Amino acid sequence: NNLVLSGARVSTPVITLAPGTIDLTGNFTVSYTGPVTFANTGNTFIYDGNTANTVGSIEYNNLTLNNSSSTKTAAGDITVDGALVTTDGGTFVMGVNQLIGTPTSVTHNGALTTLCTVNPAIPAGLDWSGTGGTSLVQFAKTTGGQFIAGGTYKTLTCSDTSDTDRVTGDIT
């Protein structure tokens, strides 16, 4: 099932995602006009299943990408303020979008790829090593210009062939 959030949001600029679990097996499309703030108190958003999904560009509390063989693709910048979970075999494709926020924890067992050149492309100072699986973080822009966030990694790759990627902190 897909979830679509659209329309003009002039008089109600705050959209509250209530506490609880939102489990989605389809795409989350966010297309609205006007200023919008997402209130995400205490919820968990799960993109479930082994089918490709579009991950909506909003602010999440807890975000789980639960799949063992498919790709979840960011539709825009993604903010996570709670737990971020990726499962073994799945791939989270950020594209040129930034993964921001202050995750309270990261359980990264899948693969995360980014082409983002914003500093940082992903939150710094976190443990991306996971508890099993590939736990891959790939800075995939071959022309470089990416900022590799300091943190702990199990598998870290950089595809830069121009020697212009920069490390922004200690890497373990």
Side-chain angles (χ1 to χ4, degrees):
N1 296 329
N2 295 318
L3 177 61
V4 178
L5 184 62
S6 64
R9 305 281 179 212
V10 178
S11 62
T12 55
V14 176
I15 297 173
T16 300
L17 301 174
T21 300
I22 301 166
D23 197 336
L24 182 64
T25 58
N27 297 316
F28 184 13
T29 304
V30 181
S31 61
Y32 52 81
T33 58
V36 173
T37 302
F38 290 93
N40 62 11
T41 55
N43 61 49
T44 298
F45 211 109
I46 301 172
Y47 288 85
D48 219 348
N50 289 320
T51 57
N53 298 94
T54 300
V55 179
S57 178
I58 67 167
E59 184 173 345
Y60 296 90
N61 182 47
N62 299 317
L63 175 61
T64 298
L65 305 174
N66 187 23
N67 61 310
S68 61
S69 64
S70 65
T71 300
K72 310 297 185 197
T73 303
D77 291 345
I78 303 289
T79 302
V80 179
D81 293 325
L84 173 63
V85 177
T86 65
T87 54
D88 185 24
T91 301
F92 187 23
V93 177
M94 289 300 302
V96 298
N97 306 300
Q98 188 178 19
L99 179 59
I100 51 183
T102 52
T104 56
S105 67
V106 175
T107 305
H108 177 59
N109 294 317
L112 183 148
T113 65
T114 180
L115 297 168
C116 183
T117 56
V118 175
N119 183 12
I122 63 174
L126 296 174
D127 185 343
W128 297 93
S129 62
T131 58
T134 57
S135 303
L136 168 69
V137 176
Q138 180 181 27
F139 290 84
K141 189 167 174 57
T142 57
T143 56
Q146 289 188 276
F147 296 90
I148 291 97
T152 301
Y153 298 90
K154 178 178 180 182
T155 308
L156 172 65
T157 63
C158 300
S159 301
D160 176 17
T161 58
S162 65
D163 294 329
T164 59
D165 281 348
R166 299 291 174 255
V167 176
T168 63
D170 293 337
I171 292 181
T172 306

